[in-house]
Amino acid sequence: MSIEDKDPRRARALAVAADTWERLGWISQAQQMRRGDVSAEDGSQAVLAAMLAFADAEQAHAGSFQARVQPWLLACFGETIAADREERNHRFLEEALELVQATGCTASEAHQLVDYVFGRPVGDPPQEVGGVMVTLAALCLAHGMDLHEAAEVELARIWTKVEAIRAKQAAKPKHSPLPGPSA
């Protein structure tokens, strides 16, 4: 019985490790991984454990909310606009402002915070994403909202609005952060 027949997850991790080692020029280690010959002495068990953890993380991400948003994004906007960083920044800021407006923030408070943030050094994007996620979860807790449920409901809703969103995008002022007419 082959390794693949016994444990497909382990076989995939071994194959990824072998491919990686081949790219690094470590041919004997790659051959060892392809045979499924792992031992504690040479560190191959640690490598296999790391590859299994990576495979688990990769699998978990495949069904993530972010991964499920991508097909909608592409269906609405196509690859170019979906990947346009400036457009994505503007739409995120618009939605964030709409959320805080809906939960009681005033325009004056928002303007004060814009001045405060833009008066500071630029942050590290991955750390700032983490901060957004943590504070969004905290905001939802404070307002008695379920973040995940709200996200799922909205994703389902916007799948029914693809044509209207495309029309709004087409009517949007060119080279402007402002969205098009309400859809």
Side-chain angles (χ1 to χ4, degrees), residues 121-133:
V122 173
D124 175 51
Q127 186 276 320
E128 299 297 345
V129 167
V132 164
M133 293 299 290

Side-chain angles (χ1 to χ4, degrees), residues 10 54 107 116 119-120 127 130 141 146 149 158 165 171 175 182-183:
R10 184 174 187 268
F54 176 77
Y116 170 76
R120 300 177 63 203
Q127 186 276 320
L141 288 167
D146 183 315
E149 181 183 345
I158 60 178
I165 294 168
H175 310 294
S182 294

Side-chain angles (χ1 to χ4, degrees), residues 33-44:
M33 283 290 171
R34 292 210 191 283
R35 289 191 308 269
D37 180 18
V38 296
S39 63
E41 296 81 39
D42 65 3
S44 58

